[in-house]
mmCIF file of all heavy atoms in Angstrom:
data_model
loop_
_atom_site.group_PDB
_atom_site.id
_atom_site.type_symbol
_atom_site.label_atom_id
_atom_site.label_comp_id
_atom_site.label_asym_id
_atom_site.label_seq_id
_atom_site.Cartn_x
_atom_site.Cartn_y
_atom_site.Cartn_z
ATOM 1 N N ALA A 242 166.405 147.060 100.361
ATOM 2 C CA ALA A 242 167.268 145.873 100.348
ATOM 3 C C ALA A 242 167.259 145.201 101.719
ATOM 4 O O ALA A 242 167.189 143.970 101.817
ATOM 5 C CB ALA A 242 168.687 146.250 99.945
ATOM 6 N N LEU A 261 163.466 144.955 93.232
ATOM 7 C CA LEU A 261 163.366 146.237 93.941
ATOM 8 C C LEU A 261 163.161 147.400 92.982
ATOM 9 O O LEU A 261 162.454 148.358 93.309
ATOM 10 C CB LEU A 261 164.619 146.482 94.781
ATOM 11 C CG LEU A 261 164.851 145.551 95.959
ATOM 12 C CD1 LEU A 261 166.069 146.004 96.745
ATOM 13 C CD2 LEU A 261 163.635 145.454 96.860
ATOM 14 N N ALA A 263 161.379 147.644 90.450
ATOM 15 C CA ALA A 263 159.986 147.779 90.014
ATOM 16 C C ALA A 263 159.077 148.345 91.100
ATOM 17 O O ALA A 263 157.968 148.785 90.790
ATOM 18 C CB ALA A 263 159.457 146.429 89.555
ATOM 19 N N SER A 267 154.962 151.185 91.574
ATOM 20 C CA SER A 267 153.739 150.554 92.098
ATOM 21 C C SER A 267 154.059 149.871 93.423
ATOM 22 O O SER A 267 154.177 148.652 93.500
ATOM 23 C CB SER A 267 153.193 149.527 91.109
ATOM 24 O OG SER A 267 152.763 150.128 89.926
ATOM 25 N N GLU A 302 168.663 135.754 81.627
ATOM 26 C CA GLU A 302 168.030 134.436 81.666
ATOM 27 C C GLU A 302 168.266 133.759 83.014
ATOM 28 O O GLU A 302 167.360 133.140 83.573
ATOM 29 C CB GLU A 302 168.561 133.548 80.537
ATOM 30 C CG GLU A 302 168.137 133.999 79.162
ATOM 31 C CD GLU A 302 168.980 135.155 78.618
ATOM 32 O OE1 GLU A 302 170.074 135.436 79.165
ATOM 33 O OE2 GLU A 302 168.530 135.796 77.656
ATOM 34 N N GLN A 318 152.634 140.198 105.750
ATOM 35 C CA GLN A 318 152.406 141.467 105.074
ATOM 36 C C GLN A 318 153.210 142.513 105.813
ATOM 37 O O GLN A 318 153.161 142.599 107.023
ATOM 38 C CB GLN A 318 150.938 141.849 105.069
ATOM 39 C CG GLN A 318 150.123 140.958 104.159
ATOM 40 C CD GLN A 318 148.776 141.549 103.859
ATOM 41 O OE1 GLN A 318 148.263 142.355 104.603
ATOM 42 N NE2 GLN A 318 148.201 141.136 102.757
ATOM 43 N N PRO A 322 159.239 150.051 102.722
ATOM 44 C CA PRO A 322 159.994 151.179 103.292
ATOM 45 C C PRO A 322 159.520 152.500 102.700
ATOM 46 O O PRO A 322 159.139 152.580 101.530
ATOM 47 C CB PRO A 322 161.436 150.893 102.883
ATOM 48 C CG PRO A 322 161.467 149.498 102.454
ATOM 49 C CD PRO A 322 160.087 149.099 102.061
ATOM 50 N N THR A 325 160.585 153.799 99.255
ATOM 51 C CA THR A 325 160.196 153.123 98.018
ATOM 52 C C THR A 325 158.862 153.640 97.504
ATOM 53 O O THR A 325 158.378 153.204 96.495
ATOM 54 C CB THR A 325 160.074 151.593 98.214
ATOM 55 O OG1 THR A 325 159.036 151.324 99.123
ATOM 56 C CG2 THR A 325 161.381 150.988 98.649
#
Side-chain angles (χ1 to χ4, degrees):
L261 293 185
S267 295
E302 291 80 15
Q318 290 196 336
T325 64

